[in-house]
Amino acid sequence: MAKSGLITPDRPAARTPTPRRVERARRSSSESDVAPTKDDRRLFLAILAITLAGGALRFATLSQSIWLDEAVTVRDVSGSFAHLISSVAHHEPTPPLYFICLWLWRHVFGDSVFAMRTLSALAGTLTIPVAYAATNRLVGRRIALTVGVIAASSPVLLYYSQELRTYALLVLLCALGFLAFVAALQTPSARKLAIWGALSSLALASHYFAALAVLPQGIVLMGNAWRARAPRRPTVIAFGAVGCVSVALAGLLHHQYARSYRFSQTLFTSAFV
């Protein structure tokens, strides 16, 4: 093109971005957006230190003597898998998930009191960062760190993290379920709802009292879907799966407490005969 007596070359046509280039640019942009800062690294080190301190408190005194309920747990997991299922159905007031986990754990790490109690201690330790993550999603880092410290040093959580019973696993699964619930509520997706359904089902399979946490969460998620703020089909499927697990466990609960009632009635009658 000629202008003012000068000849200038035409500009080359702009290249049309290919899908690969667009994806590469998107990834580099997202990576730069989430690059860890100095504050993020300090926060990670803080929650790591809190978790390690809480773990040390839990693992320090695992060799203390067992008491009656723990002795029943040891008896339940000391035989075959069929013996385990029969013992849970006839002698336990809780679902079988913890006992199955402990039965597998015992075959890997040994049958000493210390080795078997490490399952509860590990569950209690993992609860600390999960409690931090759930609180961080709701109210922010400062309060989340406080919750992490409380979870690490709570006498109640410490006690049950050193016991051969299901309670430490129950707390961990309920905490994970609550974290999944918050994530599904804030940014709903089929994947997050499925994770919530799976974790809630596992929590129910660890203890019947998990229903006190799972049921309100399910009602809130269903209400969210009904108001078209979340995908309805995945929400219904997740809630339905939890419901199916609940129905199956209700049959086991009825069997366990019917036998327990008959045993208590026989014991009470024999005391006066």
Side-chain angles (χ1 to χ4, degrees):
M1 179 182 295
K3 184 176 181 181
S4 302
L6 299 176
I7 299 177
T8 58
D10 292 337
R11 295 181 179 178
R15 294 182 179 180
T16 303
T18 62
R20 182 177 296 180
R21 289 177 179 172
V22 172
E23 179 65 18
R24 189 180 302 166
R26 186 187 65 80
R27 287 181 180 177
S28 62
S29 175
S30 62
E31 288 174 0
S32 62
D33 290 340
V34 299
T37 64
K38 181 179 288 189
D39 289 341
D40 292 332
R41 287 190 288 269
R42 288 176 179 173
L43 186 66
F44 171 77
L45 291 175
I47 192 61
L48 178 62
I50 293 170
T51 302
L52 292 176
L57 291 173
R58 284 159 172 77
F59 281 88
T61 56
L62 293 182
S63 297
Q64 57 188 329
S65 60
I66 63 175
W67 68 295
L68 177 60
D69 282 8
E70 291 181 300
V72 173
T73 301
V74 173
R75 181 203 62 188
D76 292 341
V77 301
S78 293
S80 64
F81 188 76
H83 167 78
L84 165 68
I85 298 301
S86 176
S87 295
V88 171
H90 292 86
H91 305 296
E92 289 290 344
T94 57
L97 179 62
Y98 169 76
F99 302 96
I100 294 173
C101 293
L102 184 60
W103 186 83
L104 296 171
W105 190 270
R106 172 180 173 273
H107 281 76
V108 176
F109 297 102
D111 57 1
S112 67
V113 173
F114 180 90
M116 289 193 290
R117 277 180 173 159
T118 54
L119 176 60
S120 294
L122 179 61
T125 303
L126 293 177
T127 300
I128 300 168
V130 175
Y132 164 81
T135 310
N136 185 37
R137 271 187 167 270
L138 284 174
V139 292
R141 296 177 176 179
R142 183 172 299 179
I143 298 178
L145 276 175
T146 304
V147 170
V149 172
I150 294 173
S153 59
S154 167
V156 175
L157 294 181
L158 284 172
Y159 178 83
Y160 287 112
S161 294
Q162 298 174 330
E163 191 176 57
L164 279 169
R165 299 298 289 175
T166 187
Y167 307 112
L169 181 63
L170 166 68
V171 173
L172 174 61
L173 290 173
C174 284
L176 286 168
F178 182 71
L179 177 59
F181 163 73
V182 173
L185 200 61
Q186 292 177 341
T187 54
S189 69
R191 178 173 171 271
K192 292 176 181 177
L193 289 164
I195 292 173
W196 173 83
L199 290 171
S200 297
S201 298
L202 290 173
L204 288 169
S206 67
H207 203 289
Y208 300 117
F209 283 171
L212 298 175
V214 172
L215 182 59
Q217 293 172 14
I219 293 173
V220 171
L221 290 174
M222 288 294 290
N224 208 36
W226 183 74
R227 293 192 296 269
R229 297 178 183 175
R232 291 188 180 180
R233 183 182 177 87
T235 304
V236 172
I237 291 174
F239 192 75
V242 174
C244 290
V245 172
S246 301
V247 170
L249 291 174
L252 176 61
L253 174 65
H254 178 268
H255 175 77
Q256 288 173 326
Y257 277 85
R259 291 188 63 87
S260 176
Y261 173 76
R262 288 196 297 269
F263 174 76
S264 301
Q265 190 178 41
T266 303
L267 185 66
F268 179 80
T269 303
S270 63
F272 294 95
V273 174

